[in-house]
Amino acid sequence: MTPVSSHASHGQSSLRTVQVLGGGNAASGAHVRSLAAGLVARGVRVTVCAPVEADHAYDFTGVGAEHVHVPRSSDPGSVAALRAACSGADLVHAHGLHASFRTALALSGRQTPFVVTWHDRAHADGPRAHFLRVLERRVVRAATVVLGTTSALVDRARRSGARDARLAAVSLPGPRSAPPPDEADRLRPKVRAELGAVERPLIIAVGSLERRRGYDDLLDAAHAWRLLDPVPLVVIAGEGPLHGELRRRIEDEELPVRLAGPREDVPDLLAAADVAVLPSRREEARSPFAQEALHARVPLVATRVGGVPELVGDAAELVPRGNARALADAVTRLLEDPGRRELLAERGPRQAATWPTEDQTVAQVLSVYDELTRPRPLT
């Protein structure tokens, strides 16, 4: 384990960092927990500023960090709470656009090094889209260093005026434990029977039921799959605001699709699946589901958005976003070609082995911290 030797060699006390998280999507929340654990293990003092619900979900205190409740951005007290929490910090690291903007306001007038990580791109339509662009420019110009989880995000930060933007080595914690092969073989028929896919192909999608996830395109593609024999079953695991709308479409159009609700057994679902699909319409950075599918050796069909091509390499089939026909055709080809499915199954773990580990992620972040807090030589 890498010690914080550079600070010790300069006679400094233990580095004190503040990590700032907003509501936190699954990727950023898991990353901050992983980062906090790695930093604490290396002797860094870590305070995580986040809503109390985020600490309940990710247990920052359980890995040795201090947690300070900071309300969500809609709360007028959040900037004042952040300013107090960041007092005396050697460095502040914010995650996500809204958390970064509040942090920039809280650090105004201070010389504290300020690192920002963009885990994904914020999206909006109409006047709000312009507002988000203003926030992006304000954040990147205030940041000492911007870390982007994809090349596209790094380029966007540079175009927005970042002084220093770099590609981040970001690893989510290891995928949810997949069952061992013997257990997977035993679970597969049981899970397929529960879902209603005993003698038919099983297609799995996982993610919140939101417009940006592209589930409308997935349902459109399911029309084509009704012509196959046997007809595949599509299972969507997740919850969200589109549940009622999707359910009505499934019933009215008699689609072979089942909404399974939120599931804690995604590894079991993947172990039972023939194909996984990621039909996102908007940019995905480092999709947790895509990572789990490749780790689990499940052939993946995904839209060519954001950081997905970088993430999956040649270990998945990529299709244009918003193109239900291309999605339907790609899945159909896989279902009809066992050899291609096996090839992608073999490529998945090999591609996963190229992703940065948690240890490498912490090491890179710590090197940035060291660079920004190292005492400057006297001139």
Side-chain angles (χ1 to χ4, degrees), residues 52-178:
V52 68
E53 314 91 82
D55 188 47
H56 291 159
Y58 298 104
D59 191 24
F60 304 119
T61 52
V63 297
E66 177 189 2
H67 171 251
V68 173
H69 170 63
V70 173
R72 296 179 185 274
S73 57
S74 57
D75 190 307
S78 61
V79 173
L82 263 180
R83 189 167 179 83
C86 293
S87 178
D90 296 304
L91 180 143
V92 177
H93 188 165
H95 302 262
L97 179 59
H98 294 285
S100 299
F101 180 67
R102 287 182 291 141
T103 306
L105 294 178
L107 293 178
S108 180
R110 295 180 178 176
Q111 300 301 310
T112 310
F114 177 33
V115 177
V116 167
T117 293
W118 277 0
H119 295 269
D120 217 333
R121 179 184 167 188
H123 291 274
D125 299 312
R128 183 164 171 76
H130 174 71
F131 172 68
L132 291 180
R133 288 291 293 144
V134 171
L135 289 192
E136 287 179 349
R137 289 193 293 270
R138 174 70 175 84
V139 164
V140 301
R141 291 171 183 174
T144 316
V145 172
V146 178
L147 300 175
T149 59
T150 68
S151 299
L153 288 173
V154 173
D155 291 343
R156 187 176 183 84
R158 288 171 178 160
R159 290 195 303 270
S160 298
R163 292 172 285 171
D164 187 343
R166 312 177 191 182
L167 187 63
V170 172
S171 170
L172 294 180
R176 287 171 278 201
S177 299

Side-chain angles (χ1 to χ4, degrees), residues 21-366:
L21 186 67
N25 60 31
S28 58
H31 172 65
V32 170
R33 185 187 195 279
S34 171
L35 185 58
L39 292 172
V40 168
R42 289 161 173 79
V44 177
R45 290 184 294 160
V46 178
T47 298
V48 177
C49 293
V52 68
E53 314 91 82
D55 188 47
H56 291 159
Y58 298 104
D59 191 24
F60 304 119
T61 52
V63 297
E66 177 189 2
H67 171 251
V68 173
H69 170 63
V70 173
R72 296 179 185 274
S73 57
S74 57
D75 190 307
S78 61
V79 173
L82 263 180
R83 189 167 179 83
C86 293
S87 178
D90 296 304
L91 180 143
V92 177
H93 188 165
H95 302 262
L97 179 59
H98 294 285
S100 299
F101 180 67
R102 287 182 291 141
T103 306
L105 294 178
L107 293 178
S108 180
R110 295 180 178 176
Q111 300 301 310
T112 310
F114 177 33
V115 177
V116 167
T117 293
W118 277 0
H119 295 269
D120 217 333
R121 179 184 167 188
H123 291 274
D125 299 312
R128 183 164 171 76
H130 174 71
F131 172 68
L132 291 180
R133 288 291 293 144
V134 171
L135 289 192
E136 287 179 349
R137 289 193 293 270
R138 174 70 175 84
V139 164
V140 301
R141 291 171 183 174
T144 316
V145 172
V146 178
L147 300 175
T149 59
T150 68
S151 299
L153 288 173
V154 173
D155 291 343
R156 187 176 183 84
R158 288 171 178 160
R159 290 195 303 270
S160 298
R163 292 172 285 171
D164 187 343
R166 312 177 191 182
L167 187 63
V170 172
S171 170
L172 294 180
R176 287 171 278 201
S177 299
D182 290 347
E183 179 70 5
D185 290 342
R186 188 185 68 79
L187 280 173
R188 182 179 172 88
K190 178 182 177 183
V191 174
R192 291 174 73 92
E194 176 216 330
L195 296 173
V198 175
E199 296 183 353
R200 59 196 298 198
L202 178 60
I203 301 167
I204 294 289
V206 175
S208 55
L209 306 184
E210 301 173 84
R211 193 76 60 193
R212 65 187 179 90
R213 298 288 186 182
Y215 290 133
D216 284 338
D217 301 322
L218 183 56
L219 297 195
D220 288 343
H223 277 278
W225 299 329
R226 291 190 303 181
L227 303 177
L228 300 180
D229 184 19
V231 177
L233 174 66
V234 181
V235 171
I236 303 173
E239 60 182 344
L242 285 188
H243 183 274
E245 179 182 324
L246 295 175
R247 179 177 51 79
R248 284 189 294 274
R249 273 201 63 187
I250 292 166
E251 293 174 354
D252 293 346
E253 300 169 31
E254 298 182 343
L255 297 174
V257 180
R258 174 177 172 181
L259 299 179
R263 302 279 297 221
E264 297 297 326
D265 60 344
V266 171
D268 295 346
L269 295 180
L270 283 169
D274 295 290
V275 175
V277 290
L278 182 69
S280 301
R281 287 183 179 175
R282 291 183 173 174
E283 291 184 10
E284 292 265 357
R286 300 188 67 83
S287 162
F289 180 59
Q291 294 183 58
E292 288 190 273
L294 266 60
H295 271 295
R297 298 172 51 88
V298 178
L300 173 69
V301 177
T303 45
R304 193 180 288 107
V305 294
V308 170
E310 277 183 82
L311 181 70
V312 303
D314 65 355
E317 300 283 1
L318 296 177
V319 299
R321 78 176 84 195
N323 190 327
R325 169 55 60 185
L327 177 63
D329 290 347
V331 170
T332 299
R333 286 194 301 271
L334 276 179
L335 292 177
E336 294 176 346
D337 188 348
R340 179 66 179 169
R341 293 203 305 274
E342 182 56 33
L343 178 62
L344 292 180
E346 292 174 358
R347 288 178 177 175
R350 288 207 300 266
Q351 178 67 15
T354 69
W355 300 333
T357 63
E358 289 184 80
D359 196 63
Q360 290 167 335
T361 298
V362 174
Q364 187 213 35
V365 168
L366 193 53

